[in-house]
Amino acid sequence: MEAGYQNTEVNQSFYLQVDDQHKLYVEDCGNTKGQPVIFLHGGPGSEITPSCRLFFDPEKYHIILFDQRGTGKSKPFLSTKNNTPFDSVRDMELIREYYGYDNWFVFGGSYGSTLALVYAILHPERVEQLILRGIFLGRQEEIEWLYEGGAAKFYPEAYEKYLSLLSDEEQKNCVHAYYQKIHQGDKEAHQAACRYWTKWESSLLTLLPHFPEEDQLSPSEEATAVLESHYFENHMFFEEDNYILNNVHRFNDIPMEIVQGRYDVICPPNSAYQLHQACPKSNLHLVEASGHSPYDPEMLKIIVAIMDQLTE
C-alpha cells in the first residue's frame, strides 16, 4: 500500500487544558480497542494534518494525535510561554491519562523523534515501542548544520536567499539574528524573517528539490519559524548539549524502529546511525530513495510496512 491508509476518519476531537494558559487540540482515529499509538509532529512548530494518519491501519491502531503548544489548533497560537520539550512530555502524560492507557507506541518524526526520545528518558515504563523517523537529537551541531552553513553545501542558491536578510555581522550567528528579528522585531521584520526561515528549510524537505514561493507565509509556516527559533536559540532547553545520548541508558532497552532517508539534508543520517549503535534493540532502516519528508514515496511505503508488521 504505497499511498498509506487513506480517508481515516476522526473519532473525536477536543481541547485538553494542560496548564493555566495552554489548551491542546487532540484527536483520535481508528480502532479504540486497537494498539494505542501517539503521533508526535515535527518542527518544533508544525501541526497535525490528515496526512499524519496515513501510516496506521485504522483497524489495528488507536491513533492519538495532538497539536503541540503554540501550534495548529492549540491555544494560544504562537505562544512560547512554558513551551519546551519537557512541557510537551508533561502534556503527553496528561493525554495518556485521559485515555487510560498504561503504555503505548510512540511515533515521532524529525523534532517529533526528539520529543519521543525525551519522553522515553523521563517515562521509559510508558513506552512499549518507539517508531522514529528523520532523527534529530537536538544537539548544537545539528542546529548549526541546518542554519549555520552545513546544508548550504547542497543548496547554495537557497541558502544565499536565507542569508540575504542578514548583515555580514549577523551572519556570524544566523540563529540568534533570526531569533531577534522573529521575536523582537516589528511586524514587517517578523513577517520577513519567518518567510525566509521557513522557505530555506522547506527547500530541503523532499528528495527532489522544491523551492517554495517566497512572498507567502501560512500560519503553519509562521508557527514553525516562531517555535524553531525559540527552541534553537535556547539550545532545546537541554541542560547538556548531548542530552539524549548521554541518557541513552534510560531507554535503550525499548524496542525501536529507526527510519532514515539516506539523502536527508535537514537531519543527516549520522544521528540515526549513532542512535542505532547505542540501542541494541533498535532496527535501522536507511531508505535509499528518500530525503527528509515522510511522504517521499519510498519512505512512506517502508513506514507503513513497519507499522503493519508491528501489529502482526
Side-chain angles (χ1 to χ4, degrees), residues 73-113:
K73 297 178 183 176
S74 290
K75 302 176 181 178
F77 186 56
L78 301 182
S79 173
T80 59
K81 181 180 179 182
N82 298 330
N83 196 329
T84 73
F86 303 101
D87 291 306
S88 290
V89 165
R90 287 190 286 271
D91 294 344
M92 290 170 64
E93 278 295 273
L94 291 173
I95 294 169
R96 182 189 60 77
E97 291 168 3
Y98 171 88
Y99 283 101
Y101 290 123
D102 290 333
N103 50 51
W104 48 6
F105 286 11
V106 179
F107 181 113
S110 194
Y111 166 70
S113 73

Side-chain angles (χ1 to χ4, degrees), residues 51-66:
S51 297
C52 300
R53 310 169 202 157
L54 288 173
F55 312 107
F56 312 102
D57 184 340
E59 294 185 3
K60 296 180 179 179
Y61 283 101
H62 186 200
I63 311 144
I64 301 164
L65 313 94
F66 72 104

Side-chain angles (χ1 to χ4, degrees), residues 141-160 162-163 200-205 211 263-268 292:
E141 67 182 70
E142 293 166 287
I143 295 170
E144 291 178 0
W145 162 265
L146 183 54
Y147 290 106
E148 304 286 351
K153 295 176 175 62
F154 291 88
Y155 289 83
E157 71 278 47
Y159 193 70
E160 184 177 15
Y162 166 78
L163 289 182
W200 158 242
E201 185 174 341
S202 296
S203 298
L204 319 181
L205 188 60
F211 300 106
Y263 301 105
D264 188 337
V265 180
I266 292 177
C267 297
H292 186 68

Side-chain angles (χ1 to χ4, degrees), residues 13 16 49 54 118 121 145 172 211 235 262 269 280 294 298 300:
S13 62
L16 183 66
T49 67
L54 288 173
V118 175
I121 288 169
W145 162 265
K172 295 176 181 178
F211 300 106
H235 309 287
R262 172 73 75 179
E298 191 66 20
L300 177 57

Side-chain angles (χ1 to χ4, degrees), residues 5 34-38 55-57 60-61 104-108 127-132 254-259 281-283 285 302-312:
Y5 291 94
Q35 170 62 51
V37 56
I38 187 165
F55 312 107
F56 312 102
D57 184 340
K60 296 180 179 179
Y61 283 101
W104 48 6
F105 286 11
V106 179
F107 181 113
V127 183
E128 186 177 349
Q129 171 81 46
L130 284 164
I131 308 96
L132 309 174
I254 297 172
M256 185 185 309
E257 301 292 329
I258 304 169
V259 188
K281 291 191 174 181
S282 69
N283 295 310
H285 310 264
I302 287 176
I303 295 174
V304 170
I306 289 169
M307 297 310 300
D308 286 349
Q309 181 270 328
L310 289 175
T311 53
E312 288 180 354

